[in-house]
Structure formats: C-alpha cells, structure tokens
Amino acid sequence: MNRYWGLLIVAGLSEVGWVSGLKHANSWWTWALTAIVILFSFYALILVTKVLPVGTTYAVFTGIGAAGTVIGESIFFDVPLSWGKLLLVVVMIIGIAGLKITAGHSEPSAKEAN
C-alpha cells in the first residue's frame, strides 16, 4: 500500500506543475507538456483511488497541489508570500496529515462484516 501513497505524492506534485503550466505556458510545446502532465496526474489519481480511501486521496492530492502551488509560485515566479498564506498552508497540511492518520481506521462496512 505504501507505493500507492508514493504515487499519490507524485500525482500531487505533478498537479503543481500543470497548474503552473496553465498560467505560464506560452508556446505549443509548453501547452503540450502541460496537457501530458494533466493526463499523468489524473491517471495516477485514478489508480490510487482504487486502493486508498477516495476522500483522503483527494484531500492529499489537492492539498499537495495547493500548498505546492502557493510555495512554488513564490519561489519561482516572485509571487509575494505572506505569513497568513504560510499559516493557512500549515493548517491545511495538518488537516491532511490528520486524514491520513485516520485513514483505514473506520468502521467496517456491511460487506466486510459478513
């Protein structure tokens, strides 16, 4: 199951790339690269959701994407980064970590109980 968490992290990081690509692509090849990364990102997300809990998976995917985009835009494109933004990113990461910690500890479904 750990390889699926690794794939989820890669998918989330690729989301950072394609979100930035949507904003900064300016030629046919940067648009093509953005499209390829979008396809990979969602393909990996679909694979992961077949094994890991969907809610947790999607929260981790979008959380990595959101936090990575905020930090990446600041580092690579000189977008101002305030303490408020950083605090909200930290709160989001804590929430996502909480979801991961509690994943798999839910009540068994009726199908599993029989």
Side-chain angles (χ1 to χ4, degrees), residues 70-83:
V70 167
I71 294 167
E73 289 280 301
S74 177
I75 293 170
F76 298 112
F77 300 106
D78 295 324
V79 174
L81 184 62
S82 67
W83 286 107

Side-chain angles (χ1 to χ4, degrees), residues 12 86 99 103:
L86 280 176
L99 284 172

Side-chain angles (χ1 to χ4, degrees), residues 6-16 18 40-42 44-45 48 61 64:
L7 183 57
L8 178 58
I9 291 168
V10 171
L13 292 173
S14 66
E15 184 186 12
V16 175
W18 68 254
F40 167 78
S41 179
F42 282 101
L45 180 63
V48 170
F61 176 77
I64 292 171

Side-chain angles (χ1 to χ4, degrees), residues 24-110:
H24 300 287
N26 58 7
S27 66
W28 71 269
W29 67 272
T30 55
W31 281 109
L33 181 60
T34 300
I36 290 167
V37 175
I38 288 171
L39 291 172
F40 167 78
S41 179
F42 282 101
Y43 177 73
L45 180 63
I46 290 167
L47 286 176
V48 170
T49 58
K50 292 180 181 188
V51 176
L52 300 176
V54 174
T56 303
T57 299
Y58 189 66
V60 170
F61 176 77
T62 57
I64 292 171
T69 301
V70 167
I71 294 167
E73 289 280 301
S74 177
I75 293 170
F76 298 112
F77 300 106
D78 295 324
V79 174
L81 184 62
S82 67
W83 286 107
K85 281 184 186 179
L86 280 176
L87 177 63
L88 291 170
V89 166
V90 168
V91 169
M92 182 175 55
I93 290 169
I94 290 169
I96 292 168
L99 284 172
K100 185 198 179 303
I101 290 168
T102 60
H105 300 288
S106 62
E107 294 293 320
S109 66

